[in-house]
Amino acid sequence: MAGHSKWANIQHRKGRQDAARSKLFSKLSKEITVAAKMGDPDPDKNPRLRLAVKEAKSNSVPKDVIDRAIKKSVAGEGDDYEEIRYEGYGPNGVAVIVETMTDNRNRTASTVRSTFSKNGGNLGETGSVGFMFDRKGEVVYPATAGDADTIFEAAIEAGAEDVESSEDGHIIWCADTDLNDVSSVLESALGESESTKLVWKPTTTTELGLEDMQKLMKLVDALEDDDDVQRVTTNFEATDEVMAQL
């Protein structure tokens, strides 16, 4: 499974504390407000907002929190955020992409840079690791949604590019520009997905041992702890033995 998917599993196994959950809700709410501000406040007429709301629901964000985030944009409240992507290297040269949403570019750049250097990483120029990833749409369904053949047929019918099926579930990949359409067709055929979002999918990976994996987790945790950081993606690869020890 690709690095970011494994990372999601690690986070899940570690268990999310209340503080982390509250931070996640805040980040998802921010994405909803920004998406609604940039387009129509009606999710049916705004693909980015629709996906943001869908992702929030899949993370159990309460409906009133979602509605409040949309109303904020309609009322013209909330800061004007800009989206900035940072790229760098973690332990053993693993590639790291940090997606941020900030109202203060200087503060965010300074914090991200110091977080990298304090945790054994190096912040690079934009584009320094981006070439190791493709921008893709990712739709995740649980294993109970159907067998591999059923999911594959539904995915291809919906216009997806590829499917990875395992005992953990099904990951459906599509072009980033097709995510809204593909996820809508899949929803009609298979029901509600576990997750629907745009991701950076690694095209090359870096294998990490236990010590480097622990260092990477520390770096990613520190980056995700920053309120300006929306998502962190890496291109690590690790054996099942290493993953089991985390």
Side-chain angles (χ1 to χ4, degrees):
M1 211 183 269
H4 63 275
S5 301
K6 271 189 178 171
W7 180 254
N9 290 343
I10 293 168
Q11 291 290 70
H12 180 68
R13 278 209 300 273
K14 281 168 66 182
R16 304 295 292 191
Q17 297 168 332
D18 287 345
R21 191 169 185 73
S22 158
K23 201 173 276 287
L24 178 66
F25 280 14
S26 166
K27 292 181 182 194
L28 292 167
S29 296
K30 191 194 284 187
E31 166 62 26
I32 288 170
T33 301
V34 169
K37 257 189 177 180
M38 287 172 67
D40 197 290
D42 178 357
D44 290 333
K45 297 176 186 168
N46 181 338
R48 178 170 172 174
L49 178 57
R50 179 178 174 274
L51 292 173
V53 168
K54 197 172 169 60
E55 188 60 17
K57 283 179 177 172
S58 74
N59 281 284
S60 307
V61 176
K63 187 175 183 301
D64 64 312
V65 173
I66 292 171
D67 291 343
R68 202 158 53 238
I70 293 174
K71 279 178 187 152
K72 241 188 189 184
S73 75
V74 177
E77 294 173 16
D79 299 303
D80 285 327
Y81 293 104
E82 61 176 320
E83 295 170 282
I84 306 170
R85 187 173 82 245
Y86 297 93
E87 300 178 19
Y89 295 92
N92 199 29
V94 68
V96 182
I97 291 181
V98 183
E99 294 171 88
T100 68
M101 211 174 263
T102 180
D103 57 355
N104 186 326
R105 176 187 281 259
N106 292 336
R107 177 193 68 221
T108 306
S110 169
T111 306
V112 170
R113 186 178 299 281
S114 76
T115 303
F116 266 93
S117 58
K118 281 178 191 169
N119 292 279
N122 292 293
L123 187 62
E125 298 294 320
T126 301
S128 59
V129 303
F131 66 93
M132 296 187 230
F133 299 81
D134 283 335
R135 191 65 163 157
K136 292 288 179 189
E138 178 198 73
V139 186
V140 179
Y141 275 92
T144 52
D147 60 34
D149 288 344
T150 304
I151 302 297
F152 184 79
E153 281 175 27
I156 298 306
E157 186 72 28
E161 297 175 343
D162 195 16
V163 182
E164 292 173 23
S165 291
S166 71
E167 59 186 23
D168 296 328
H170 311 278
I171 302 174
I172 299 163
W173 300 103
C174 65
D176 56 344
T177 50
D178 294 341
L179 182 57
N180 187 52
D181 292 341
V182 169
S183 65
S184 296
V185 176
L186 284 170
E187 210 170 288
S188 302
L190 303 171
E192 194 79 26
S193 66
E194 272 186 356
S195 169
T196 299
K197 60 189 173 189
L198 287 168
V199 299
W200 292 98
K201 185 184 183 188
T203 51
T204 60
T205 56
T206 300
E207 176 109 19
L208 296 185
L210 180 60
E211 193 179 330
D212 284 335
M213 265 310 301
Q214 289 169 332
K215 287 179 186 169
L216 177 64
M217 286 176 68
K218 201 173 164 203
L219 169 62
V220 174
D221 276 343
L223 286 166
E224 288 188 333
D225 205 39
D226 182 356
D227 290 339
D228 294 337
V229 173
Q230 289 294 101
R231 187 175 291 127
V232 180
T233 308
T234 76
N235 74 336
F236 80 83
E237 183 112 4
T239 64
D240 290 339
E241 288 75 26
V242 167
M243 300 294 283
Q245 292 178 71
L246 293 170

